[in-house]
Every structure is written in structure tokens, then in C-alpha cells.
Amino acid sequence: MTAPLLEVRGLQTWFTSKAGEVRAVDGVDLAVGAGEVLGLVGESGSGKSVTGFSIMGLVDAPGRVVAGEIRFAGRSLVGLAEREWRALRGRDIAMIFQDPMLTLNPVLRIDTQIIEAIRAHADVSADRAREWAQQALAEVGIPSPGERMLAYPHQFSGGMRQRVAIAIALLHGPKLLIADEPTTALDVTIQGQILAQVQALAASRGTAVIWITHDLSVVSGLADRIAVMYGGRIVEEGPTTAVLGSPAHPYTRALLRSLPSQNQPGQPLAQIPGTPPRLIDQRLGCAFAPRCAEAGGRCGVDDPAPHRVQARIARCHFAFEAAAEQQA
């Protein structure tokens, strides 16, 4: 077996606050191979975005990576100098942020920003860079790209700004693309185009993709594997068909039951009771236990270790039993 392009082991990213340490990411393991799409799924506050920022080296004070290893193409990314990061970001590793203004400079024209991004990693003329930029905008569905390149970000709608940010991320065909809910502000037609473009990038260029989302319907048709996060940890991971078809963790099952498509017409939407855990609290037992209808006595005391269930991993004391019942 070939080594994964990206391998994360025991990642812990904490933030210092007046009340104590916020354990936003608390022991995450994941791996993504070339050409593979991994869907990272969970509720808001589960640690998905912080995991992506940690991989990109974008966690600043009061946050820090306190433990763990992040290896990209065999190279450790933890502790890289900013000069080394500048050579990697945008060329080999790219990120699409949920807020496009984290990518775009409000006081620079769109053409200036895209051309600078192109020439930062490619030795091309200004004319060739302009052609490249125009083509990139056309590929993400921006009409009259030659004219729109002369505009400023504030002259675009939120959805159009996000398309520009996506175009910039895809410019150099990165080896690893981290997408943090990038299609939330886009209409369904453009969303479909972007998803198809990302799938084509993974298939044709061997790009590894981590698609961060709370929308299971998006990753169901996009991802090869799904990793479900809760309370700063991955609680289930495996092939998409297996995780969605016979989920082993109670949280995954609860997420699936809460989908509108699973609801009977005229009936209230299913909800997960309670609230997500306070990541500042000391972990005791399973983080999902207070909200879990299947929790037993040990769930509130013993922190479950990851268990392998067929082709996937689940962090639950009763994962094996649940999987056996589903197959019975």
C-alpha cells in the first residue's frame, strides 16, 4: 500500500481563554490519499474548521497546536517557518474558506489578486497570467469574466465572491485541497458545478480533498470516505456507503435521523436532544453520552477507545454490538 498524501496523528489544537484551555481539537487522526475525497462532517463547534486551519498552519494565538503530527507527502508540517509555508500554500496545499473575504483583499481589484496568486508560483508573463485568470473565473461560472476581473470584491454578491475564492484555490491544481463549507452561499446549479469540478480535479490530477461540511447530502455524492467529528474528536470514519448505510456510532445515526429527507411529511423534524459539549471542560467518559439514547453506565465514566468495525473505525463502547444488530 502506498503512503497517504496527508497523515494526521494525535492532533491537539487548544485555545487559551480566561476560563481555561479550550480543547477545540483533542486527538484527531486522519489520512487522505492522492485522488481521494474525505468528507469531514459534524455540528458547528465540533472542531472541523480548526482541524483544517491546523493542517494549513493558520492557527494563531491564542490558539496553538499542542501535540500531534501532520505529515504532507512525507514532510512534517508542524513548526514550519512562514517562508516555507508561503512556498506550499496556494501551490501544493490550498484552502477554500467559508468566508470568501478571508481570501480576498477588499481594496484590490479581482484581476490584481488572481494575477498575483498565479505569478507567486508560476513563471509566466503578465499577459499569460491575465488569460489564465480569466479562464479560471469562467470555469467557476462567473459571466463576462474579462469585465468582472476589473471589479472590486464589494461589487460582487456573496456567492460571486465565493466563486472567485474557489477559482483562486484551484489555480495551480494543488495536491491537497481543504474546502471549509465553500458552497453554502451558492445556488444549487453553481454548487453542482463546483462539486463536479472538485471531483474532476481529484480524478484527473490526483488531488486529495478534505471537504468540511455539516451537510451529509453533499458529501454523500462527493466523498469516498467520511469522518464524523464530535467534541473535537473523530467518532466514526470509513467508506461513505458504509458510514451512511449502517452507521456504527450513535451520533452518526442521530445525524442521519435529523435529515429532512428522513422525515415523514407533516411530522416534526427529528432533533438531537441537548447541546454540544463545552470543550473547556475536562473530558470524562464519552462526550456524546449526555445526549445519547443508547448510553450505558460506563459511557459517562470511561472514555471509549476507537474500535474497528468492518471497514471503519468508531469511538463507541457498543459499536460492535450496534453493527451486529444492524446486520442481524
Side-chain angles (χ1 to χ4, degrees):
M1 294 179 63
T2 58
L5 180 68
L6 175 74
E7 189 171 16
V8 178
R9 289 289 174 260
L11 177 64
Q12 292 182 300
T13 304
W14 297 0
F15 291 80
T16 301
S17 72
K18 292 182 179 180
E21 296 286 359
V22 179
R23 304 180 181 192
V25 176
D26 196 19
V28 162
D29 297 338
L30 61 83
V32 190
E36 183 179 31
V37 180
L38 173 69
L40 191 56
V41 181
E43 294 174 277
S44 296
S46 62
K48 309 184 303 296
S49 295
V50 177
T51 298
F53 278 91
S54 300
I55 294 170
M56 290 291 295
L58 293 175
V59 176
D60 295 322
R64 68 200 187 283
V65 175
V66 299
E69 181 66 20
I70 304 171
R71 300 193 69 83
F72 171 72
R75 178 185 184 184
S76 177
L77 300 184
V78 177
L80 280 187
E82 185 56 34
R83 173 181 53 82
E84 296 174 292
W85 270 118
R86 282 198 298 269
L88 279 174
R89 292 193 197 110
R91 185 192 66 187
D92 295 326
I93 305 176
M95 186 168 186
I96 308 171
F97 301 96
Q98 186 173 9
D99 181 359
M101 293 311 290
L102 291 177
T103 298
L104 301 176
N105 188 324
V107 300
L108 295 179
R109 285 189 337 197
I110 297 299
D111 61 346
T112 300
Q113 300 189 53
I114 301 181
I115 289 172
E116 284 185 355
I118 291 171
R119 301 187 75 183
H121 299 291
D123 185 14
V124 296
S125 67
D127 289 341
R128 173 65 188 108
R130 181 169 292 277
E131 293 174 2
W132 189 341
Q134 186 170 326
Q135 180 183 355
L137 292 181
E139 288 177 350
V140 294
I142 292 182
S144 305
E147 297 177 14
R148 301 312 301 270
M149 279 175 41
L150 303 179
Y152 289 86
H154 73 270
Q155 295 174 295
F156 285 74
S157 66
M160 292 284 277
R161 285 196 293 266
Q162 186 63 291
R163 290 190 228 177
V164 175
I166 292 170
I168 291 174
L170 300 180
L171 281 173
H172 296 282
K175 295 177 182 177
L176 171 65
L177 177 65
I178 301 173
D180 188 5
E181 305 210 41
T183 58
T184 302
L186 304 182
D187 60 68
V188 175
T189 302
I190 298 302
Q191 182 183 82
Q193 292 177 4
I194 299 301
L195 294 176
Q197 189 174 2
V198 169
Q199 284 182 311
L201 189 69
S204 64
R205 300 187 184 181
T207 298
V209 179
I210 299 177
W211 194 277
I212 299 171
T213 184
H214 65 275
D215 191 344
L216 285 167
S217 63
V218 170
V219 294
S220 64
L222 173 69
D224 301 299
R225 288 188 301 118
I226 289 178
V228 182
M229 283 197 75
Y230 185 82
R233 290 181 174 179
I234 291 176
V235 297
E236 182 167 0
E237 180 187 350
T240 298
T241 52
V243 171
L244 299 184
S246 57
H249 197 281
Y251 177 61
T252 310
R253 292 195 286 275
L255 282 179
L256 289 169
R257 284 195 298 268
S258 67
L259 290 175
S261 60
Q262 302 298 312
N263 191 64
Q264 294 294 328
Q267 296 298 315
L269 288 173
Q271 300 181 37
I272 303 176
T275 58
R278 278 169 42 93
L279 299 179
I280 200 169
D281 293 336
Q282 183 69 32
R283 188 185 300 272
L284 180 65
C286 174
F288 188 59
R291 309 175 70 187
C292 181
E294 305 170 34
R298 65 184 298 197
C299 297
V301 179
D302 297 331
D303 189 9
H307 298 287
R308 184 167 292 279
V309 181
Q310 296 180 350
R312 61 189 185 273
I313 294 172
R315 188 182 284 270
C316 175
H317 291 303
F318 307 109
F320 285 112
E321 291 88 337
E325 290 175 2
Q326 290 174 13
Q327 292 178 344

